[in-house]
Amino acid sequence: MKTLYAFTKKEIIDQLRSNKVLVLGIIFIIFGIMNPAIAKLTPWLFEKMSDSLAESGIQVSKITVDALMSWEQFFKNIPMGLIAFVLLESSIFTREYQSGTLVLSLTKGLKRHNVVIAKTVVLILLWTVCFWMCYGITYIYNDYYWDNSIARHLLFASFCWWFFGIWVISIMVLSSTLAQNGSGVLLGTGGVVFAIYLISMIPKVDKYLETMLTTGYKLTTGASKVSDYNVAVIVTLIVSVIFFATGIVAFNKKRL
Amino acid sequence: MEVLSIENLHKRFGDKEVLKGVTLKVPEHSIFGFIGKNGAGKTTTMKHILGLIKGDEGEIKVCDEKVVYGQTKTNRYIGYLPDVPEFYSFMNAREYLNFCGEITGLDKSTVRERSDELLCAVGLDKEKHRIKGYSRGMKQRLGIAQALLGEPKLLICDEPTSALDPVGRKEILDILLSVKDRTTVLFSTHILADVERICTDIAFLDGGSIKLSGKLDAIKGKYRSDEYIIEAENDEAIKVLLEEFEGLKRADNMSGKVLTFKEADVSLYKVLGYISEKKLPVIKVERLEPSLENLFLEVVG
Amino acid sequence: MDKIREYLPFIIPLAIVEIILLAVTLHHIFTHENYKRGNRLLWVIVAIVGMEFIGPILYFVLGKEDE
């Protein structure tokens, strides 16, 4: 336990000193502000465009902005945040393989599974902080300008998206224990997510898959029910746990 | 007592057999020079001792405990310095030692005490910068400090001096010599001058097996011949000596003013007596010591 | 003018974090000699052109050397 704590602490210091926390934090803050800003700008943009649209015969009715539009932006932009997160953290394991820094720690008796656990904890922690910070900022703006209460099941919808991120992290961890470099991790993570996305195109299969969790926006508008997500949440939980566990097993066997 | 014993260790990478039955014993409180050419299998052998590579055959024991592949418990007896040690460059030396102490499970006050002492011993006590800017020599010195932090019974250094300049080499050798009372040192090298400077025991590794091992003195004694050389100032003296004694031979030497002979053929004291009687101008008379280099070449071929 | 005042709650914090992000990125670029790929000029241009956040991400993912 003490060694796990020590390694986690080292990992956090690394994240802080290499500016990763700062850069990711700022990116998610920017998204948090941009979501309501874009919603607020929409009528003005439409006004600008309506003249040219009118010429081509399209009538634009006056639109009123509400919190839902801002939350729509939130669910549209958060994938970009996740992509930035994966890009910046893809080498969290592999740069230690390449530099050989792990060898010294492991020969000192550090248990291999502690390496995987510590890095996973840090990834989950960072994702959680970034995600909910972005959520919080958008929430505060929305509350100030409009009314958040019209967005139904907002917290659950956001939880689903956050949980999707945890699943992506579990893929990152597993591919990190198998790949030798950061590009391998990116390829593995991107590949799995894309494959699941393709499979989810098949009707009726989609609600059993992890990608279902990214459609939380439908919940806020009332287009879907909470119970629609039960299976996907359970599947994601099981798959993530399996990926983390497999990652530990694979890492124990890895030649460093 | 042996700190480390390796019995008939075999390792094959693909179709290349790197280790073909290495057998080695390292006695306590020795400074053990593990000598071999580049690619002889020194690093591979050391990684086996640390449980980083799985051997195909054979047994390794550290302090009478068997080494197993993966997370071996025997590593608690070992301090390890890899050939190119890499540390977390975002930390400074003290933070790194702290981190090492924490993952080894030492308590805070012990770590502080030992890191003070060790940083002083390796000359990094005044260094406040992050490891990022360290030179190779500084990294090697920090490497020794971290390896000694857990007060290991066996300190394993992989080519600690190979990448360093003469000053850096001397610093490392002095540090290794100074820790001799506290621990046993096993270090691999291909620099024979370093071995002659500090080692008490040696082993030659070549072609995947140990060709020669034992106490340095004993090995030197065993290979010591009864051969002498005489170097004279001029050719006259050489000619006089050659006429007087039959067993003398000219050595293959550029100057041609060097003679060699064996004690068995010619008595040293007779030669010396003759030299003093005739007042021949000689520069030196010397018993030939087997240099490690000659030994190495002879053994390794 | 009123329009701008209406957007100030967005513009001010955005400007602040954007400037911090750009400053951190540029500081990192100028205090490092070596990059994983590319050179200093390239990364300065990338960071400024894509300053809203793409540029800094590109630099920290592709340009920053592994320490």
Side-chain angles (χ1 to χ4, degrees), chain A residues 196 199-200 205-213 232 235-236:
Chain A
I196 297 294
I199 298 171
S200 74
V205 178
D206 59 341
K207 70 173 177 186
Y208 299 104
L209 296 174
E210 296 85 349
T211 43
M212 179 73 179
L213 298 182
V235 167
T236 307

Side-chain angles (χ1 to χ4, degrees), chain A residues 9 17 96 99 108 111, chain B residues 71 86 88 90 95 146:
Chain A
K9 196 174 80 182
R17 292 196 183 164
E96 292 220 43
S99 64
K108 282 195 174 319
K111 294 274 185 298
Chain B
Q71 313 190 356
E86 284 300 337
Y88 296 114
F90 55 87
E95 285 174 325
Q146 62 82 27

